[in-house]
Amino acid sequence: MMATDTGFAARLGPWVAVIAWLFAILLVLMIAVGASLDQAVSGFFNGAFGGRNSAYLMTTIGRSALIIGMALAVLISFRAGLYNIGGEGQLVVGGIVAALVGIYLPGPGPMVLAVGILAAMAAASLWAVLAGALQVYLGVPLLIGSLLLNYPARYISSYLVGHPFRDVAAGLPQTHMVPQGAWIPNFPGTRLDMGIILVLLAAVFTIVYAYRTVPGYRTRMNGLAPDFARASGLPVKRLVFQTLAMSGAIAGLVGAIAVFGVHYRFSDGMLVQPLYAWTGIIAVLMVGMVPWAVPLSGFFFAAVQTGAAGMERTAGIPKEIGLIMQAAIILFVASRLAVVNLAGSARGEGNDDRA
Amino acid sequence: MSGWIALSNITVRFGALTAVDAVSLDVDKGEIHAVVGENGAGKSTIMNVLFGLLVPDEGTIAIGGTPHAWKTPQDAIAHGIGMVHQHFMLQDSMTVLENVVLCAEPVNRLGIVDFATARAKLEDIIATYGIRSRLDARVADLSVSERQVVEILKVLYREAEVLILDEPTAVLTPQETRSLFEILANFKAAGKAIVIITHKLDEVMEVADTVSVMRGGRLVSSGPREATSKDEIARGIIGGDLPAPRARGPYAPGAPVLKVTDLVARGEGRPVGPVSLEVRKGEIVGVAAVAGNGQAELIETIVGLRRSAGGTVSLDGQDLAGKDVAARRALGLSYIPTDRQRVGLALEARVSENALIGREMESRFRRGLFQIGSQIDAFAREVIARYRIKVAGPRAKTSSMSGGNKQKLVVGRELSRETPLVIAENPTWGVDIGAIDFIHGELVRMRDAGHAILLVSTEIDEILALSDRIVVMFEGRITGSFAASDADRFEIGALMTSHGSGGIQTRDAS
């Protein structure tokens, strides 16, 4: 009992420090751009949680659905010790496939939606498995392979929406719209699409998979101690592919939700610019890969982003300040992780002689 | 009268656990002070207090009558205390000289490291204490005992008056141990205080001037070695009488279980082998070798963790070529690896999760793809009870256990599979006397029940105590092979460190 209590306090401490620092940084930045403090603060909170009929809150929730989805994709692979940071590429592959299926597959709307989501998941899954194959068969570390595969995904999608599948009349590099029948419906009376339900289902699936199933157990052991998993005869190669396939599938699902629920089409950069994938990684690292906390941190980061947009609207503070804050958070997370790692290895040394 | 260093009423608590309970200990200049006890007895913990790694909850440290309160090891180092840990902390890619001066570099006025001064100082130290070390060799190229010397040099370079050594001989051959003791004797003659934390009572009797016995966080006894005996110390350590010598069944080996023929293992750099050996039903074959002589590669190749570069391995007549670890284990092989912290266990996982590994697909533990937690816990409880593992329960974190109990968990998990072949690699490395005795008993019980056991150990005593046949490896080859009855520890020690007097020494009775 004692140990968990001190553990909790120890976990809380850095958070308080992080938030204090963030406010300090924010203050300095606002003074630098000459904005008034209370305007900025009210703009931030209104932008994140307010709006007429809570419209901005719905935007925040909608955005957090995508961030949480990407965070789940990260979580499932990171917990297995697989540093798949190619979420962005997998997301884009899922998005473009979802849009093309949505536009070109004939049939009733719900069927198109269902096929579009499944196709997006399958395609993104393959993209992730490709990074795994590079590691297993060619020795390209996953961290590098998955990162580099982001670029072809991004540029191939740019080409596809810029040329063969372009909605020429729109003038922008984007596809036509998917038919309205295939849209993910909004919650009645709101502007929030029901995609978040799919994300929550994915979250439940991820948690049940991680803690209750045999492959989840194997994956977890492989993540905690790869040498142990190998020496115990676990099918480690298969686990790599299996885990990456699931991670990619979730990223593909997020891409499909963005297409069918938010934008109704694929436009160049729409999944890259908002940094969903990277924010998802940070959201996972921020809470030390604890699954139940991931939705909370995903929501937190969505609020930082929409709040920053609100500050820009009301107080004229550039929303890049939101990005700067996010970058500051990354730095704090990085330093905290370093401290945790050091503490962990120091503890490991003394371990053997304690009762 | 209190000593030069006086630890008074030291108490250290980790949460609800009291690791060291009001222990007072004196260490004097010019003595070798052995601190003995089981793992978890608190001996490393109290030395970590003296070295500043842990701040005691109660109690004081005084040196020469002046009380001190360390906040960090740097404080302790500044007051002449040095410690050589069980796990070395060296930079492999740097030279001995660079490692020794690291973080204590002499710099000239321009802020450039003055290696010449450092070298002169070190050469002086080396000459004074009769140490042998190659200052310009890269640490990666050094043997384990040479690395230990580097650690000792680090401490001496920082002008330590007190040298604490945690299990210094655990990784050394008898010959290397002897030369370490010669160095320690020189330190003693120079008036330094030496503390060794150890399990090995023979060594205590050989070198210690003072012996302190700890058990369960308390000091059981402390006094001059002459006033005590090996038996008395052992009784103090385990808190009761010694177990009777192990009874073992007659040696009646059956059909061969493991057959290794001209096996060549891929090594780091040079290959290991070719090696041939055979383990039959109902016998323990001990492979004696100093760490790093190819035995690890050999075992990994047999287990399927490393690809072979030639030769064959067969298990119960089945060729293992092309089979992965899982297939080999399914055919009847269990493996107790040296490195329980990394290979034997997932420390951050639960005890039950570690007990389960390899059995997770058995139908009693799952319903479809879903695990049945109650069955898994029940199985873990069985292993805990049967192998007398001290732990809060199946859901406790594995890292919360002591080294001996961790090892019992690995041993229990593997032996309870009851496979025809058991490979045990340093099965008692760094565990306490009680656990050693238990694990040895279990291995002998398996042998008597007709299992084939391949034991690999760097401890000659362990090899001699358990083996029916003994094989010695040096530099990737088998340099000797004996029936246990013919074995001589010094001859084995010599073969472990050289190619012998020419040709392979064979005195196999069978």
Side-chain angles (χ1 to χ4, degrees), chain A residues 208-224:
Chain A
V208 169
Y209 172 83
Y211 288 115
R212 292 274 175 267
T213 68
V214 176
Y217 161 77
R218 290 179 154 183
T219 311
R220 197 165 65 246
M221 294 304 112
N222 192 29
L224 289 173

Side-chain angles (χ1 to χ4, degrees), chain A residues 66 113 178 182-186 191-195 254-265:
Chain A
L66 304 185
L113 174 63
V178 297
W183 292 5
I184 295 173
N186 284 348
R191 283 161 53 190
L192 178 64
D193 69 271
M194 293 189 180
V254 175
I257 292 171
V259 167
F260 289 113
V262 183
H263 300 278
Y264 310 124
R265 56 165 35 119

Side-chain angles (χ1 to χ4, degrees), chain B residues 120-168:
Chain B
K121 183 170 164 186
L122 264 177
E123 274 165 357
D124 194 35
I125 292 170
I126 287 173
T128 310
Y129 299 109
I131 298 171
R132 272 182 302 167
S133 186
R134 295 173 286 151
L135 291 183
D136 296 310
R138 276 187 347 134
V139 167
D141 301 329
L142 300 184
S143 71
V144 176
S145 68
E146 288 173 312
R147 286 172 199 226
Q148 185 178 54
V149 168
V150 180
E151 287 283 1
I152 293 173
L153 283 176
K154 264 163 76 175
V155 170
L156 294 178
Y157 182 79
R158 285 158 181 74
E159 290 165 5
E161 287 304 312
V162 186
L163 188 66
I164 308 166
L165 299 140
D166 193 354
E167 299 279 352

Side-chain angles (χ1 to χ4, degrees), chain A residues 96-120:
Chain A
I96 187 88
V97 167
L100 295 181
V101 169
I103 296 162
Y104 296 103
L105 183 73
M111 193 271 290
V112 171
L113 174 63
V115 174
I117 289 175
L118 292 178

Side-chain angles (χ1 to χ4, degrees), chain B residues 15 101 124 436 478:
Chain B
V101 302
D124 194 35
I436 290 175
I478 289 178

Side-chain angles (χ1 to χ4, degrees), chain A residues 2-3 208 211-215 217-218 220-221 224-235 347-355, chain B residues 14 39-40 43-44 87 305 325-326 329 340-346 349 353-354 356-357 360-361 369-371 399-400 402-403 406 413:
Chain A
M2 283 284 291
V208 169
Y211 288 115
R212 292 274 175 267
T213 68
V214 176
Y217 161 77
R218 290 179 154 183
R220 197 165 65 246
M221 294 304 112
L224 289 173
D227 293 319
F228 165 69
R230 229 162 73 78
S232 305
L234 295 193
R347 230 178 296 126
E349 296 293 339
N351 246 339
D352 250 20
D353 206 39
R354 282 182 204 166
Chain B
F14 297 120
N39 269 335
K43 51 196 195 306
S44 286
H87 307 281
L305 288 165
V325 180
R329 288 175 69 92
R340 61 174 163 270
Q341 309 271 50
R342 268 181 49 240
V343 186
L345 297 165
E353 293 173 323
N354 275 294
L356 180 70
I357 200 110
E360 67 275 5
M361 289 307 283
L369 280 181
F370 287 90
Q371 293 191 304
S399 59
S400 71
S402 72
K406 283 179 195 153
R413 179 186 70 217

Side-chain angles (χ1 to χ4, degrees), chain B residues 30-361:
Chain B
E31 72 161 357
I32 297 181
H33 191 132
V35 180
V36 296
E38 301 202 334
N39 269 335
K43 51 196 195 306
S44 286
T45 308
I46 194 164
M47 285 306 131
N48 284 339
V49 167
L50 177 56
F51 186 56
L53 277 169
L54 287 169
V55 177
D57 294 288
E58 281 160 38
T60 55
I61 303 169
I63 298 181
T66 318
H68 291 283
W70 317 135
K71 287 197 182 63
T72 67
Q74 280 72 34
D75 296 340
I77 291 168
H79 288 87
I81 298 188
M83 186 157 176
V84 175
H85 295 273
Q86 203 174 348
H87 307 281
F88 302 150
M89 298 170 184
L90 298 171
Q91 296 294 324
D92 276 358
S93 59
M94 292 165 72
T95 65
V96 171
L97 179 65
E98 287 165 342
N99 264 286
V100 169
V101 302
L102 192 65
C103 297
E105 303 89 348
V107 290
N108 63 20
R109 262 170 302 163
L110 298 174
I112 293 167
V113 179
D114 184 357
F115 279 109
T117 307
R119 182 185 296 272
K121 183 170 164 186
L122 264 177
E123 274 165 357
D124 194 35
I125 292 170
I126 287 173
T128 310
Y129 299 109
I131 298 171
R132 272 182 302 167
S133 186
R134 295 173 286 151
L135 291 183
D136 296 310
R138 276 187 347 134
V139 167
D141 301 329
L142 300 184
S143 71
V144 176
S145 68
E146 288 173 312
R147 286 172 199 226
Q148 185 178 54
V149 168
V150 180
E151 287 283 1
I152 293 173
L153 283 176
K154 264 163 76 175
V155 170
L156 294 178
Y157 182 79
R158 285 158 181 74
E159 290 165 5
E161 287 304 312
V162 186
L163 188 66
I164 308 166
L165 299 140
D166 193 354
E167 299 279 352
T169 61
V171 290
L172 304 182
T173 62
Q175 284 82 354
E176 289 168 338
T177 300
R178 183 146 296 173
S179 70
L180 172 69
F181 288 165
E182 279 164 18
I183 296 173
L184 295 185
N186 291 340
F187 294 161
K188 184 170 113 177
K192 294 190 187 295
I194 297 132
V195 180
I196 47 176
I197 302 172
T198 183
H199 287 127
K200 298 184 187 174
L201 299 191
D202 287 326
E203 292 173 2
V204 171
M205 298 314 287
E206 189 183 336
V207 296
D209 301 300
T210 309
V211 183
S212 294
V213 180
M214 291 186 72
R215 185 175 75 241
R218 291 166 192 271
L219 188 67
V220 177
S221 66
S222 185
R225 184 202 56 200
E226 291 85 15
T228 184
S229 69
K230 197 173 150 185
D231 271 3
E232 193 186 338
I233 297 171
R235 276 196 299 274
I237 291 172
I238 59 174
D241 280 320
L242 289 173
R246 208 176 337 280
R248 59 196 285 158
Y251 179 45
V257 176
L258 176 74
K259 259 184 130 154
V260 174
T261 314
D262 296 328
L263 184 69
V264 180
R266 284 167 201 255
E268 319 294 342
R270 70 204 150 95
V272 169
V275 171
S276 299
L277 59 84
E278 197 178 87
V279 189
R280 290 166 293 180
K281 276 189 178 175
E283 72 170 353
I284 299 180
V285 173
V287 176
V290 178
N293 276 284
Q295 71 272 46
E297 288 86 350
L298 176 68
I299 295 303
E300 284 181 6
T301 311
I302 295 173
V303 174
L305 288 165
R306 186 183 280 269
R307 279 198 289 171
S308 90
T312 58
V313 182
S314 73
L315 178 60
D316 269 342
Q318 290 229 39
D319 189 1
L320 295 184
K323 294 199 161 56
D324 65 6
V325 180
R328 289 171 192 227
R329 288 175 69 92
L331 276 175
L333 168 161
S334 295
Y335 174 43
I336 300 165
T338 293
D339 189 349
R340 61 174 163 270
Q341 309 271 50
R342 268 181 49 240
V343 186
L345 297 165
L347 291 183
E348 295 304 303
R350 289 175 177 166
V351 171
S352 60
E353 293 173 323
N354 275 294
L356 180 70
I357 200 110
R359 291 178 165 91
E360 67 275 5
M361 289 307 283

